[in-house]
Structures are given as structure tokens and as C-alpha cells.
């Protein structure tokens, strides 16, 4: 029997001490992995022997969902990691930058060798097939079981549940892995969860509707073109935190070249501070109002001053701006300009109107309208936070409209795109690409896809509303009420209980299940509320792989260590489960993991240096290589040898200012000849008024309203208006008078790294408060604060900020939940413990404009979380 212990993991002692890795632990704790020197060396007052002598540098994975995929190398000696470094494969320069990792990558060794690694298959003590005792999930003790026992339990549960309820009774708890759990796919399928995800409303407004892609990486200009810009706009974008790695280097270069920056955000972010950006402090969730006010000001300024609106661009490349440019499929005679002027509702969307909602002073709206006018060369860059709000369906369409009004498409120095992941500010076709692994793709026979905000309630009611194609991708009919009967939840490569909405209800749903299974490396939130947890390897323990980074760099990582303790790879675990179910694993894994890794390398290509735009093999492979690797394949000639590619950690295309790759300009072909290069919309143009968009939203029927084809301001069902008692702005404050949003935070990649001791010491787990709001409630920096919504309450320590607008509360995303079962308060401060099942009419999850309240906590103050909450399972 085992129990969960709360322990403080020292920086020196984070490696587990099983017999298999005891020697490695001793070496690791005594060398360069800790911030301190070896105690033995210090006590003897002697210079220690260089611990790296005789070691080997290995390109190690940096694998989490931050989007960076930067260079990460570790020194391995006697099976232990004794040092770590980032890219030093060539001299660093703005043209040819090193692919340097961030603090999260440099703490990666604590993910592999952490003291809290799950060592063995574990079973919840009170669970049995005959009596699940689900109410004890998250509270129970754990006991170690063998792999044979674990697989027998799992196979028995899968067979029983399928026989009683059918395959729709299985739920894979994440959009990220709904096609990933191969045993169930081969066993008849499972119900899935989908969410509007990181992309928010941009998931709806794809190229097939208004004419912009979901992530925009392919339409952002090459990074060198930002030197041709006069201004770069960061809209709800903080790449210094959300796109760590090389992107900030490119922006700093632009700043040094004289480009000015504007940031539109509730916080004056780290990126804004680095770049000395002009700040437009918008209320979270009110971006459509702000942008409508900007559009109105652009028209006013154009009339009074001239040369602000690019009428030629609107005429040639868009439809629906005014009555003279109607889309052919429009069902009613409406257009954006008439809406903006108040023709339909009697309310002109002036800067004054917008300011009352979004909180931006009129003079700042006017400034922004003038700065993005047609006479200026502007890069318009957005992230997705503004589109992850209730009522934000029209954010993508409006952002596109402002960009079109300024004519900022398809020409040097002008760009309108996302500022996302490693491709932030660096668009264009990949210059180097990985090959296919050779593993087959699998189809899920079950078409049921539950919207994220509805999933946990659906576990109780057996009902949910289908929101259509853009969620499921299966031709599902939107607006149809569906039924389900969920009895088993499986967490594979996901963290949806932690990172999805309505967590408190999700915990209750887990306690209702017959069976909950997790693969995990640690006792994560998903694992904590499971019945059986299987220890899965990190990517430091697999044969290797390739990971695409930015367009210039293809990362290759290799195995750092054999699997620790009893951990197995995903393929090994899935194979065992399939065999126990009487299925043939070769239908899913016809080749070995090493062969799949090799296939990626052998199929990798790099753009030719002759400027043709064609690709050639990247890696030279010889007969000797095939024999040494023990894989099948054919010799080939490429640009770099196999061993060099692997040892180097990948391949980066060398860049120079003005090279052939610098010419990539997003939308250039469309702007050059729109007839020959139409967009994917019904009209083939950018649709400022779009019937397809309105039809999609109206088909869902989640709320009682009629969506219009033009981008309109939608009063959210939860947002700024609902901070007031009667829903009227400037009325009496309601029970939850603050707007709560969830910024991505440098300490974590979503929820990953939250347990990392080094990052916990370097980055606290705060609640961001406006300093004046905090002072009014008697709160100072470091005080314990209780934050509550109608869905839940959490504790965090105050970080009082002058650089955040009043009326806002920021809960940095990803902290692991730690619920006090007596009070129901989460002492871990999980953001999604405060978020409920609110869903916007278009199907959007309401992550960033929820209503909350806060106060100084009168109970015992929170400890710093680097001194508590270490989920270590130890033998009792």
C-alpha cells in the first residue's frame, strides 16, 4: 500500500533512487544539475573533478506544447545527465540565430528524472471491478500492482463496459487525443471531446468562411520583412512568454532598426516592455467593440484627413464592406458599413460608443485608427486570447476587416497574421521538413463529439448539443441534440480535466464513472482522479524523433536514457492492452519505434539552394548506416550525413538578409491576381460580410439570437456587462464585479512543468491584481487571496501590478488543482476550477472573460508552492 506524501524536493535530490538508476541519481545530485556544488566537494575544500569528463552530449527532446521545439542538449555520463546546454552549433546572429531554449527547456531534466516520477503501475486502494467506490477518487491511497495485473484489470473493464453499454460509453477526455488511443480505436471506437481550443473563434472563421486560415503561419510574411514595416501591432499577443525561443530576437532586431510597436492588451506585457510598445489597455472580452470603434474612426479620419482607408483594396479584394460590394450568396441586403453607421439598430459604433464598453480612451482609439491607416506600413499580429472569450465569434472577422481597411495584405512591410508558437513573426513554407513515420492513421468508428464546456454535465445528464463540422470534422449536423451514456474516462496524452473548463464538475463526473484510466509520468490531476495509472515514458526515454520548429529548423532528438523504473512507451502500453483484448497490435504498429524514427529522418527534405522552391533529401544514408541502425531502407544522398544530423540535433537552414527565402509575403499571389488565386471562400475574396459564417453560427442554436453575416458586437452571456447587477454598463456592481482572464505563464506550458522544483522557485503561482483594486481591498504583494466565481473558489498569492488595467483579475493558466475536501476551496489555484460550462452561441469556450470576485483570505496563509504540494507516491 502507498499514500500520497507532501514533500519538499530539494534541487539536489530530484532524481528517484530505484536500483536501476541509483548510481545515476548519486552522480546527478553531485554535479552540474543542481544550483549548488557537491556537498562532499565543499566539505573537503577541494576542487572537484570535472563531472563532464568522459561524458557525451546528446540532443534531447524538448517536447511540450509551448510551440518552441528549441535546441536542447544534455551531457550524459554513466547514465546520468550531468550538464545541459542549448544551441551552440554555429555563431549567433540576427540573420542566422541559434535555436536557444528557454527556462522550461533547461528544466526538462526534472521532467525525466524527477523525484515525483511514477515508478510502477498503481491502483487506487478502494477500487475494484465489483465496487468502484468512485466517491474516493482523488482522496484514496494507492497500491502498487504489476503490469500483468494492470493490463488484466483494464482489459476486463473494457470488455465489460463494451458489452453492457457499447463503445460510446468510453470517453477520451481531450480534443488533443481523440484519435490517439489506439486500443479503443481498434476495439470499436469511443466518444470524443472537442473544444474551441487555443485558437478560439479562429477555429470557426477559417479560410472556408471569411478567408483567413486558422493559425496564419502560412500567410505571415518572412521574418526579415518586418524590417520594412513602420509599425508592428501585437494584439492580445505576448510572444516573450507564449512563443519563447527565437521570435523575440526578431522583434528586438526590428525595434533596433526603428520599427515602433503597439500592444492592445489588458496587461502591459513582458513583450511590450522589451519593445517599449505603446499600450492600448482594452478590457478583456470587449475587443469587438474596440475594433468597431477603430473602424468608425478610420472612416472619420479618412473623410477629414484623407488616405486612411484603402478604398482600392476594399473594392478589389473584399466583399461586403458596403452596399456596392455584396456577396452573391447574401440572403438579406445588409453590409458592414451600414451596421457601423447604426442603420440597423440606431446605434452608430463610434469611438465614444466603443470606449464605454472596452474602456479604451477615445484618444487612444483615434491614435490606433490613424496608425494602422493606408499610408503606414503595418504588421498586424494577433494571438488568440481575444478570441477565447464569450461573445468573441466576430473577433477574427473584425481583425481581418481592420487589416483590409488599411490595405495591409500582400505587400512588403505589411502583414496580417497570427503571432503563434515558434512561427510567430516568421511565416512562409517550411524550408526543412520531417518525413512520415510510416505508422498508419486510424479512424474512430464513433462519431460522437461532445463540446468541451458540456462534457462533464453530459456525463450526468446523458445529453449534449452537437455544434457541427468545425468541432468534429466528421460531417456532423450542427444544432442536433445528442445522447450519450459515459461509464469510462481515459486520459492518454491529454490533460483535459486540468486544462478544460468546468473542472469542479469534472471531478464530480470522474467520481461517477465505473472506471477511469490514465497514462502519466506524474500524479497529475488526471491521474489523481483515476483508478489505475500506468507510468509512461518521457521523450527522453524513447528511440528518438523529429519535431518541426520554425520554418528554418528541424529538430532531431535522441534517446537520453533507458526507460526509468517500470515505465513503458505509449506503443508498448497500447500493444499490451490490444493483446489482452484479443486484437492484433501489428494493425496499429506494423514497424518498430526505431524504424518509425528512422523513417522520419529518411523522408526529411530541405529546400534547394537554387531558388527553385523545390525540395531535395536532407540526410545522406549509406548501407553502413542501415546496418548500424538495424532498420530497413535505401541508401540516398542528401545535404548532411546521418550521424552528423543526429549528433547536431537537427538541421537549420542558414539565412542571410535578402536571401531567396526573404521574398515570402503572405497573400502575395492573391493580391497579384485574385481571379487566378482565389481564396477558399464562396466569393473567393476576403468576406467582411459573410453568409457562410452567419449560417454556421445560426445552425448551432445554443442561444436565442440571430447572427448576422457582418461582424457585429455581441453582448456576451458572461463578460463585462454581467459584472453589473442588471447587466447595464455603469449600473450597480454585481456579485462578481471583476473580469477574470487566464494568461499563459512562463513557468508552465499549459499545465506541464507545474511540478518542476526549479521553475517553482523561479516563478511563483500568483494572482495578478491591479494595484489600486488590491489596495482598496487591503491586499499587498504576497498576501493570500481568495478568488471566487459561481463555479468555484481558489487561493493564490497576490501580485499587485500597476501595468494591468483596473477591474481585471489574471489567473495564470495551468496550476494543478489541490482541493480541500472539507471547504471545497482549491489551494492549488487552478484557473479552470473557477470556470464553468458557459459556452458562446457559436460554440466557443469562455476562457478569458469570466466574472469573479476576490478578497484577502482570512485563513492560514498559503505556503510558497515550491515548499509544498509535491505529489510523491511512496511505499508505505
Amino acid at each position: 500500500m502507498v499514500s500520497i506524501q507532501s514533500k519538499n524536493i530539494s534541487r539536489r535530490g530530484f532524481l528517484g533512487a530505484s536500483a536501476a538508476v541509483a548510481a545515476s541519481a548519486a552522480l546527478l545530485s553531485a554535479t552540474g544539475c543542481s544550483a549548488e556544488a557537491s556537498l562532499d566537494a565543499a566539505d573537503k575544500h577541494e576542487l572537484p573533478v570535472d563531472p563532464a569528463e568522459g561524458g557525451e552530449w546528446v540532443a534531447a527532446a524538448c517536447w511540450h506544447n509551448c510551440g518552441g521545439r528549441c535546441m536542447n542538449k544534455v551531457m550524459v555520463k554513466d547514465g546520468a545527465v550531468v550538464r545541459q546546454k542549448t544551441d551552440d552549433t554555429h555563431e549567433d546572429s540576427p540573420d542566422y540565430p541559434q535555436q536557444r531554449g528557454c527556462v522550461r527547456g533547461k528544466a526538462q531534466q526534472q521532467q525525466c528524472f524527477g523525484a515525483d516520477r511514477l515508478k510502477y503501475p498503481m491502483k487506487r486502494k478502494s477500487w475494484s471491478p465489483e465496487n468502484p467506490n468512485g466517491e474516493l477518487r482523488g482522496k484514496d491511497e494507492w497500491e502498487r500492482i504489476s503490469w500483468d495485473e494492470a493490463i488484466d484489470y483494464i482489459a476486463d473493464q473494457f470488455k465489460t463496459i463494451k458489452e453492457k453499454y457499447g463503445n460510446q460509453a468510453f470517453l477520451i477526455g481531450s480534443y488533443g487525443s481523440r484519435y490517439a488511443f489506439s486500443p479503443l480505436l481498434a476495439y470499436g471506437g469511443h466518444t470524443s471531446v472537442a473544444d474551441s481550443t487555443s485558437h478560439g473563434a479562429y477555429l470557426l472563421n477559417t479560410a472556408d468562411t471569411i478567408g483567413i486560415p486558422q493559425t496564419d503561419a502560412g500567410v505571415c510574411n518572412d521574418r526579415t520583412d518586418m524590417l520594412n514595416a513602420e509599425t508592428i501591432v501585437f494584439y492580445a499577443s505576448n510572444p516573450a512568454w507564449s512563443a519563447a525561443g527565437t521570435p523575440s530576437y526578431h522583434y528586438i532586431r526590428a525595434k533596433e532598426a526603428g520599427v515602433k510597436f503597439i500592444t492592445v492588451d489588458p496587461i502591459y506585457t513582458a513583450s511590450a516592455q522589451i519593445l517599449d510598445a505603446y499600450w492600448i489597455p482594452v478590457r478583456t472580452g470587449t475587443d469587438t467593440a474596440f475594433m468597431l470603434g477603430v473602424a468608425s474612426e478610420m472612416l472619420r479620419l479618412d473623410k477629414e484627413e484623407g488616405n486612411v482607408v484603402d478604398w482600392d483594396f476594399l473594392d478589389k479584394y473584399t466583399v461586403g464592406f458596403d452596399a456596392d460590394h455584396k456577396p452573391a450568396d447574401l440572403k438579406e441586403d445588409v453590409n458592414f458599413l451600414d451596421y457601423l453607421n447604426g442603420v440597423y439598430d440606431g446605434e452608430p459604433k463610434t469611438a465614444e460608443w466603443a470606449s464605454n464598453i472596452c474602456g479604451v480612451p477615445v484618444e487612444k482609439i483615434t491614435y490606433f485608427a490613424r496608425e494602422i491607416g493606408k499610408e503606414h506600413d503595418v504588421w498586424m499580429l494577433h494571438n488568440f486570447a481575444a478570441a477565447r472569450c464569450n461573445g468573441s465569434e466576430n473577433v477574427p472577422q473584425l481583425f481581418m476587416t481592420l487589416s483590409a481597411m488599411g490595405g495591409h495584405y500582400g505587400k512588403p512591410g505589411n502583414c496580417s497574421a497570427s503571432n503563434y508558437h515558434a512561427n510567430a513573426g516568421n511565416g512562409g513554407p517550411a524550408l526543412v521538413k520531417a518525413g512520415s513515420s510510416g505508422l498508419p492513421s486510424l479512424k474512430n468508428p464513433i462519431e460522437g463529439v461532445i463540446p468541451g464546456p458540456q462534457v462533464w454535465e453530459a456525463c450526468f445528464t446523458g445529453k449534449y448539443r452537437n455544434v457541427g463540422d468545425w468541432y468534429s470534422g466528421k460531417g456532423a449536423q450542427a444544432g442536433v441534440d445528442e445522447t450519450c451514456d459515459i461509464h469510462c474516462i481515459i486520459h492518454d496524452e491529454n490533460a483535459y480535466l486540468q486544462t478544460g473548463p468546468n473542472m469542479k464538475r469534472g471531478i464530480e463526473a470522474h467520481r461517477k464513472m465505473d472506471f477511469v484510466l490514465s497514462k502519466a509520468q506524474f500524479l497529475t490531476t488526471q491521474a489523481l482522479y483515476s483508478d489505475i495509472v500506468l507510468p509512461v515514458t518521457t521523450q527522453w526515454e524513447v528511440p528518438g524523433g523529429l519535431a518541426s520548429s520554425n520554418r528554418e529548423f528541424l529538430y532531431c532528438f535522441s534517446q537520453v536514457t533507458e526507460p526509468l523504473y517500470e515505465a513503458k512507451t505509449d506503443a508498448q502500453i497500447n500493444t499490451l492492452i490490444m493483446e489482452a483484448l484479443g486484437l492484433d497490435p501489428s494493425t496499429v504498429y506494423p514497424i518498430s519505434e526505431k524504424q518509425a524514427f528512422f523513417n522520419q529522418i529518411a523522408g526529411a527534405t530541405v529546400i534547394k539552394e537554387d531558388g527553385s522552391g523545390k525540395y531535395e533529401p536532407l540526410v545522406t544514408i549509406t548501407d553502413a548506416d542501415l546496418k548500424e541502425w538495424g532498420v530497413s531502407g535505401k541508401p540516398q544522398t542528401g545535404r548532411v550525413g546521418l550521424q552528423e544530423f543526429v549528433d547536431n540535433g537537427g538541421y537549420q537552414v542558414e539565412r542571410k538578409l535578402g536571401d531567396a527565402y526573404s521574398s515570402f509575403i503572405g497573400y502575395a499571389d492573391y493580391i497579384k491576381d485574385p481571379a487566378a488565386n482565389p481564396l477558399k471562400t464562396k466569393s473567393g475574396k476576403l468576406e467582411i460580410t459573410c453568409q457562410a459564417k452567419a449560417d454556421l453560427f445560426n445552425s448551432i442554436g445554443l442561444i436565442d439570437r440571430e447572427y448576422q453575416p457582418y461582424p457585429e458586437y455581441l453582448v456576451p452571456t458572461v463578460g463585462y456587462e454581467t459584472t453589473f447587477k442588471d447587466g447595464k454598463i455603469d449600473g450597480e456592481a454585481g456579485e462578481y464585479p471583476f473580469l477574470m482572464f487566464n494568461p499563459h505563464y512562463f513557468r508552465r506550458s499549459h499545465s506541464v512543468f507545474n511540478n518542476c522544483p526549479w521553475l517553482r522557485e523561479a516563478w511563483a503561482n500568483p494572482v495578478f491584481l491591479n494595484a489600486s483594486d488590491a489596495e482598496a481591498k487591503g491586499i499587498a504583494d504576497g498576501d493570500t487571496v481568495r478568488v471566487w466565481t459561481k463555479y468555484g473558489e481558489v487561493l493564490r498569492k497576490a501580485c499587485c501590478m500597476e501595468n494591468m488595467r483596473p477591474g481585471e483579475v489574471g489567473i495564470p493558466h495551468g496550476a494543478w488543482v489541490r482541493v480541500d475536501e472539507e471547504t471545497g476551496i482549491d489551494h492549488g489555484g487552478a484557473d479552470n476550477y473557477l470556470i464553468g460550462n458557459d459556452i458562446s452561441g457559436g460554440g466557443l469556450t469562455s476562457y478569458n472573460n469570466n466574472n469573479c470576485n476576490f478578497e484577502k483570505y482570512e485563513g492560514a496563509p498559503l505556503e510558497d508552492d515550491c515548499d509544498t504540494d509535491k505529489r510523491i507516491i511512496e511505499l508505505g
Side-chain angles (χ1 to χ4, degrees), residues 510-843:
H510 278 64
R511 287 173 171 165
K512 176 181 180 290
M513 294 295 108
D514 296 348
F515 183 55
V516 182
L517 169 68
S518 287
K519 295 179 189 173
Q521 293 150 7
F522 310 97
L523 197 67
T524 61
T525 298
Q526 289 65 234
L528 181 64
Y529 291 96
S530 295
D531 300 314
I532 289 180
V533 182
L534 303 177
V536 66
T537 56
T538 68
Q539 286 198 329
W540 282 20
E541 300 158 81
V542 300
L546 269 59
S548 295
S549 184
N550 54 65
R551 69 183 299 226
E552 302 157 18
F553 179 55
L554 178 62
Y555 188 42
C556 176
F557 59 88
S558 300
Q559 187 166 11
V560 173
T561 180
E562 292 295 321
L564 300 181
Y565 310 105
E566 293 186 11
K568 296 183 184 295
T569 67
D570 282 292
Q572 291 170 335
I573 294 171
N574 292 345
T575 294
L576 290 173
I577 294 173
M578 292 182 71
E579 289 174 342
L581 293 173
L583 303 172
D584 181 3
S586 68
T587 60
V588 177
Y589 302 106
I591 57 177
S592 69
E593 293 179 76
K594 187 171 185 179
Q595 181 71 56
F597 173 33
F598 176 80
N599 289 349
Q600 288 185 295
I601 297 174
T605 55
V606 61
I607 198 164
K608 289 186 175 182
E609 296 175 332
D610 59 9
S612 66
K614 296 180 180 180
Y615 291 80
E616 62 186 5
L618 173 64
V619 180
T620 293
I621 296 171
T622 66
D623 284 323
D625 291 329
L626 296 171
K627 184 177 181 180
E628 181 180 349
W629 278 59
V631 295
S632 61
K634 296 180 180 180
Q636 66 184 36
T637 300
R639 192 173 297 181
V640 61
L642 175 59
Q643 196 60 47
E644 180 184 355
F645 177 74
V646 172
D647 291 345
N648 191 59
Y651 183 83
Q652 182 177 350
V653 174
E654 186 171 357
R655 297 293 309 277
K656 294 180 181 179
L657 196 62
D659 60 23
Y661 319 122
S662 303
S663 62
F664 181 80
I665 303 293
Y667 290 93
D669 290 342
Y670 172 65
I671 298 304
K672 182 179 180 180
D673 191 340
N677 302 285
L679 304 178
K680 295 180 181 179
T681 60
K682 292 289 182 66
S683 66
K685 298 185 176 184
L686 295 167
E687 297 206 355
I688 294 173
T689 297
C690 179
Q691 189 63 52
K693 182 212 73 171
D695 290 346
L696 171 63
F697 295 167
N698 289 326
S699 71
I700 297 171
L702 282 169
I703 60 175
D704 186 20
R705 66 160 296 124
E706 188 75 13
Y707 287 93
Q708 298 300 321
Y710 48 78
E712 57 183 324
Y713 178 68
L714 304 173
V715 177
T717 56
V718 56
Y720 179 54
E721 283 85 348
T722 54
T723 62
F724 298 97
K725 197 169 187 178
D726 58 2
K728 295 181 180 180
I729 293 174
D730 294 331
E732 183 181 351
E735 184 178 356
Y736 307 103
F738 293 90
L739 281 170
M740 184 187 76
F741 65 107
N742 308 126
H744 285 216
Y745 188 45
F746 211 36
R747 160 169 150 177
R748 297 180 282 259
S749 176
H750 295 284
S751 63
V752 179
F753 294 114
N754 186 65
N755 60 322
C756 175
W758 290 345
L759 294 176
R760 283 186 170 214
E761 289 183 20
W763 299 79
N765 190 42
V767 52
F768 294 157
L769 303 173
N770 171 270
S772 298
D773 291 340
E775 184 179 14
K777 289 176 175 280
I779 295 170
D781 270 329
D783 286 346
T784 300
V785 176
R786 182 174 77 99
V787 183
W788 72 96
T789 69
K790 64 180 179 180
Y791 299 107
E793 51 189 317
V794 306
L795 301 181
R796 280 202 181 191
K797 288 193 172 185
C799 176
C800 304
M801 306 169 66
E802 299 288 353
N803 60 328
M804 187 170 82
R805 63 163 298 120
E808 307 268 350
V809 173
I811 306 281
H813 171 56
W816 291 5
V817 71
R818 182 161 55 95
V819 179
D820 182 322
E821 294 290 345
E822 292 185 4
T823 65
I825 298 175
D826 171 30
H827 289 228
D831 50 323
N832 289 318
Y833 198 75
L834 295 169
I835 295 174
N837 60 347
D838 296 297
I839 186 168
S840 194

Side-chain angles (χ1 to χ4, degrees), residues 192-210:
S192 305
V193 180
D195 196 297
S196 50
T197 73
S198 295
H199 303 149
Y202 282 87
L203 191 64
L204 289 72
N205 289 273
T206 59
D208 293 331
T209 50
I210 65 172

